[in-house]
Every structure is written in structure tokens, then in C-alpha cells.
Amino acid sequence: MSASAQVVPPGAAARAAVPRHVAVVMDGNGRWARQRFMPRFFGHKAGVDALVRAVNLFADRGVEYLTVFAFSSENWKRPSEEVSGLMSLVLVAVSKYLTKLAGDGVRIRIVGDRSAVSDKLRQAWAQAEELTRANSRITLAVAFNYGGRWDVVQACRQALAEGVAPADFDEAYLSSRMSLAFAPDPDLFIRTGGEMRMSNFMLWQAAYSELFFTECLWPDFGTAEIDAALEAYAQRDRRFGAIRPPVVVDGD
Ligand code: FPP
């Protein structure tokens, strides 16, 4: 090593500037509405607008997949007016924004248990997926009636139905049957609204995701917050359980 050699901190070389896949728990719509003395539904409506803005902002920054938690398997426990309000909001959102998102190069995919939603909603999802099938700027995966545990169970059920031998059943096999098998695991997991938990979102896929929690309520999550999250991610040292020896850079 020459006198001017520098030791670069471990991990510096492994910093990936832009996450390929970002997962988001869009929390805080209700509080955002309450702060404005408005009903919760008003917050969810603003949440949809924030999502349409966010998908384009993430795409502009090079993110390839954005997966958002729109309705969890547990959200059925909310008051029935809120549940039906969210269902109709999705239908309105599809008719209001589908053409725009399709024109923006967004591919839409829906993940979750479709068996419990109305025929109308199933048709709207199918239409959104079909219309955007050829788009490749960014994939927006909408997790609807989704739960991380549900996903593991449905993947195991497929494996059992396929009669897989225990010796052939491994992580790769299970991953290939998960509802997000079309995407790489999320690099960055964001939760807005100040809570610091995963709430049964992408439990299998987020094993090595970098976590980012912000007080910002989802309808306010815009350019500055997206850039702050991506900047925080760029500073992280991802080791996936390994250790990294210091990188030696020789000076002249
Ligand atoms: C959490 O905020 C938010 C939700 C349960 C729903 C998020 C849904 C959307 C933004 C609409 C998605 C629509 C489409 C078309 C994808 P909260 O109600 O728990 O807020 P709080 O914690 O402040 O009460």
C-alpha cells in the first residue's frame, strides 16, 4: 500500500444509488382528513391523487417497481361505510386515472385475494392490467385484499396442489409461487404516517429491504419526501447477512 492509499469505509462500494423496487404502506389518510375537519374518505381520495403523483416521481428517478398497500386483509374490520367507500373509490380512481397512467407508461398489476371483491372491481382490475400490459416505464403493483401471511399460505397451497416433494420445496420454489413473483424483492420499504411496523405487508419479500419510516402523512408524500427516502436509501450499506472487507484504493 502506498503512503497515500485510502481505506474506503466498508460498504461504500456496495451502495446502490436507486432502488429497483420500492414498497409503500400509504398510512395517514384518515389523520390528514381529520386535520382538515373532513371525513376519512376525503383523506383516501387525496391518497389516490398522491399515489398517481408518486408513481411518476418514482419512475422519473429510475425505480422500476412500486408496490403499494391499498387494502389489507385486515382492513375488512373497519366500519362498513369506510370499506364500501374504499371499494367505490377504487372504481372511481380506475375510471379517472387509468388512461393517464397507461399514457404515462405505467404497467398496473394487482396482487391479493380477488375472490372477496365485487365482480365490478374484478373487471376494473382486469381492464387496468390488460390496458397497461405492454407498458414498461414502471410497474405499479397494487396490493388489494392482500396480507403477507395470506401470500405465504396461498403459495404453499399451490405447492401442495402441485404435489411437490419436500426435498424440492425450497426458498426459490416458494418465491416463484408468491403473488409478487414477477418482481425482484423490494429494496426499500417505506411507511408514511409515523407508525413503525410492517402490518403484514410483504413479509416474505421484505426480508432484506431497507426500512424508511416518516411522520409525513401519505397525501403529503411528494417530491421532497420521495427524494429524502431515496437519499436515505443511497446511504445504506446493504450486506445481506455477509460482511464486507474494507476496499483499498491505491493513491499515486
Ligand atoms: C391507511 O390510512 C390507508 C389505507 C388503509 C388505504 C390506502 C388507500 C389508498 C391511498 C387508495 C388506493 C386506491 C387505489 C386505486 C390504489 P389510514 O386510513 O389508516 O389513516 P390513519 O392512520 O390516519 O387513520
Side-chain angles (χ1 to χ4, degrees):
M1 201 191 301
S2 71
S4 58
Q6 297 173 297
V7 175
V8 176
R15 282 178 193 150
V18 179
R20 281 190 75 196
H21 185 175
V22 176
V24 185
V25 177
M26 307 180 288
D27 199 10
N29 295 342
R31 279 164 284 164
W32 187 90
R34 199 167 60 229
Q35 285 172 359
R36 287 158 180 79
F37 307 101
M38 296 296 280
R40 292 176 60 78
F41 181 73
F42 183 71
H44 293 315
K45 210 159 155 282
V48 174
D49 298 338
L51 174 57
V52 173
R53 287 192 301 271
V55 70
N56 275 297
L57 290 167
F58 278 116
D60 286 346
R61 284 151 183 77
V63 170
E64 296 168 53
Y65 297 88
L66 176 67
T67 301
V68 295
F69 209 4
F71 191 87
S72 80
S73 315
E74 289 73 35
N75 284 154
W76 297 104
K77 296 176 196 157
R78 293 191 175 205
S80 60
E81 321 80 73
E82 180 162 348
V83 171
S84 55
L86 275 166
M87 299 291 163
S88 14
L89 178 63
V90 174
L91 286 170
V92 171
V94 171
S95 66
K96 184 171 173 195
Y97 286 118
L98 181 56
T99 313
K100 174 182 165 39
L101 290 170
D104 288 344
V106 178
R107 178 168 188 180
I108 297 174
R109 307 208 48 164
I110 313 302
V111 293
D113 181 1
R114 297 186 199 205
S115 66
V117 305
S118 68
D119 287 345
K120 239 180 168 179
L121 191 48
R122 261 196 299 276
Q123 281 160 17
W125 286 146
Q127 186 200 4
E129 289 184 320
E130 191 48 44
L131 190 74
T132 62
R133 185 174 295 279
N135 285 350
S136 58
R137 179 166 162 248
I138 187 169
T139 295
L140 171 64
V142 178
F144 200 91
N145 196 19
Y146 171 92
R149 290 179 175 179
W150 165 83
D151 203 5
V152 173
V153 170
Q154 69 77 26
C156 291
R157 278 192 178 148
Q158 285 185 57
L160 288 168
E162 288 156 5
V164 62
D168 297 329
F169 184 68
D170 56 12
E171 292 186 14
Y173 191 105
L174 190 59
S175 289
S176 71
R177 301 302 188 272
M178 303 292 288
S179 59
L180 276 143
F182 57 82
D185 284 346
D187 304 290
L188 175 62
F189 182 114
I190 298 173
R191 181 175 185 137
T192 61
E195 311 281 1
M196 287 190 268
R197 56 176 171 262
M198 295 174 73
S199 295
N200 196 18
F201 189 40
M202 298 183 81
L203 297 182
W204 174 264
Q205 299 88 345
Y208 279 102
S209 299
E210 295 298 328
L211 306 179
F212 182 85
F213 298 105
T214 171
E215 292 290 328
C216 177
L217 304 176
W218 173 251
D220 291 329
F221 193 75
T223 307
E225 292 74 24
I226 286 173
D227 286 339
L230 295 180
E231 176 56 29
Y233 173 81
Q235 300 304 318
R236 303 282 175 91
D237 174 22
R238 305 192 75 196
R239 293 190 300 276
F240 299 94
I243 57 166
R244 200 181 307 284
V247 178
V248 176
V249 180
D250 231 7
D252 45 349

